[in-house]
Amino acid sequence: MVLLYLSSLSPIPPPCSSPSSLQLHSRTSSFSPSRIGASSSSSISQVIQHTPPSSNPKVVVTRERGKNAKLIDALAEQGINCLELPLIQHAQGPDLDRLASVLSAETTFDWIVITSPEAGSVFLEAWKAAGTPSVRIGVVGAGTASIFENLMQSSKQSLDVAFAPSKATGKVLASELPKDGNNRCTVLYPASMKASNEIEEGLSNRGFQVVRLNTYTTVPVDHVDQIVLEKALSAPVVAVASPSAVRAWVNLISEPDSWSNSLACIGETTASAAKRLGLKNVYFPMQPGLDGWVGSILEALRPRDSF
């Protein structure tokens, strides 16, 4: 049986509660993974290798260019060398031009729901174009919330990140977003074209009125250097942060069944996509986010480091 490895992490508290650090549980004293059955892309013109000349990279980082620095730095603190191989890039969605006008309209929304850093960045550009109206935002987790940190200090309270769920998933967000009794509650949901309907369906079932705008999408990068790809294929771990990145990686591999190295996913949604695509040795944290992702990468590396 093929196995999916699940690393346990304590949940990130909502922004309104006092912060607490994530605790990582391992196989010995700091990891305690449970196992569930699982099975398990057109990319870049330039690749940066973050590793001393004499050593081979242990981890391939695959977020779009310019967005891998935090993970690279976190892994460097653990003495882990990285190869940067962006697998995806973002493109404009069909509803992007509508977002600023919707925010400028007299109709206001009780909540703006943001579920990824890219969705947050796209929203902020439209929010500024709309004249920085007062908005109340619900985010899926700490990584997404970080997009708003600087602006929250300077926006004079017109932008309020007021909610994050007990677990950083769309399903939990939809079940926990506060609703004022039986009163009409409206939600604006700027999202990726490729995002599922889980959030709007979950909110609609609770009585929210949801307006979804597909403001961006993800596509594979245009080109991959074959020499770099060969180096990436030999690295023990590939780190991915979205189902789109998983699909892009699988499309680059001529025979996915023969690739036996590990995939470290940022969260359960990405890991599920890897399972559906038949990949093996898939690791992910219970709580999505940078700390959990690093923990899953360390866990994925451990079997190899033990030999």
Side-chain angles (χ1 to χ4, degrees):
M1 181 176 71
V2 180
L3 298 176
L4 185 70
Y5 299 86
L6 172 61
S7 306
S8 300
L9 296 175
S10 61
I12 298 175
C16 56
S17 65
S18 59
S20 62
S21 60
L22 289 174
Q23 299 298 318
L24 196 61
H25 306 286
S26 88
R27 281 181 180 164
T28 53
S29 59
S30 61
F31 268 99
S32 177
S34 58
R35 298 180 178 187
I36 61 176
S39 48
S40 126
S41 338
S42 345
S43 304
I44 85 172
S45 57
Q46 181 182 358
V47 174
I48 301 171
Q49 186 172 333
H50 300 265
T51 176
S54 60
S55 61
N56 292 321
K58 288 190 173 183
V59 178
V60 180
V61 294
T62 62
R63 270 183 158 165
E64 55 273 31
R65 180 149 318 276
K67 297 186 179 179
N68 288 299
K70 288 184 179 179
L71 180 59
I72 290 170
D73 290 346
L75 292 173
E77 292 178 2
Q78 303 290 330
I80 296 170
N81 303 319
C82 295
L83 178 71
E84 186 175 16
L85 176 65
L87 293 177
I88 60 169
Q89 56 193 354
H90 290 121
Q92 180 174 324
D95 298 327
L96 178 61
D97 293 338
R98 293 179 52 200
L99 182 55
S101 61
V102 168
L103 291 170
S104 302
E106 293 184 2
T107 302
T108 59
F109 292 88
D110 296 294
W111 288 102
I112 312 290
V113 168
I114 305 294
T115 57
S116 72
E118 183 63 21
S121 297
V122 171
F123 168 80
L124 284 176
E125 290 300 316
W127 176 73
K128 292 173 185 177
T132 66
S134 294
V135 291
R136 183 171 63 160
I137 294 175
V139 297
V140 74
T144 302
S146 67
I147 297 296
F148 300 98
E149 285 176 356
N150 292 335
L151 275 171
M152 286 179 65
Q153 298 173 5
S154 60
S155 63
K156 299 180 181 179
Q157 304 304 313
S158 63
L159 190 150
D160 179 21
V161 178
F163 172 78
S166 60
K167 182 178 180 181
T169 68
K171 182 177 181 179
V172 177
L173 184 152
S175 68
E176 294 182 350
L177 189 71
K179 186 173 184 290
D180 185 15
N182 294 321
N183 294 335
R184 177 176 176 270
C185 195
T186 56
V187 173
L188 176 62
Y189 175 37
S192 166
M193 281 182 63
K194 295 184 177 179
S196 72
N197 296 325
E198 183 176 58
I199 287 178
E200 62 261 42
E201 288 179 358
L203 290 172
S204 296
N205 289 340
R206 292 180 56 210
F208 287 88
Q209 295 186 6
V210 182
V211 174
R212 172 172 174 164
L213 297 180
N214 291 320
T215 56
Y216 75 100
T217 188
T218 55
V219 296
V221 294
D222 300 324
H223 172 71
V224 165
D225 184 288
Q226 290 302 306
I227 296 176
V228 174
L229 177 58
E230 288 179 12
K231 184 170 287 190
L233 287 168
S234 65
V237 176
V238 174
V240 290
S242 69
S244 294
V246 176
R247 288 190 291 269
W249 178 248
V250 169
N251 288 339
L252 284 176
I253 304 171
S254 57
E255 297 181 1
D257 290 341
S258 66
W259 184 72
S260 59
N261 291 347
S262 297
L263 197 74
C265 302
I266 197 171
E268 186 175 355
T269 300
T270 303
S272 295
K275 170 186 173 180
R276 290 192 297 271
L277 291 169
L279 291 177
K280 307 169 185 176
N281 302 325
V282 177
Y283 294 75
F284 70 99
M286 281 292 292
Q287 185 67 51
L290 181 62
D291 289 346
W293 199 9
V294 170
S296 291
I297 291 169
L298 295 176
E299 179 73 354
L301 286 169
R302 186 161 295 138
R304 296 175 181 275
D305 290 342
S306 65
F307 290 107

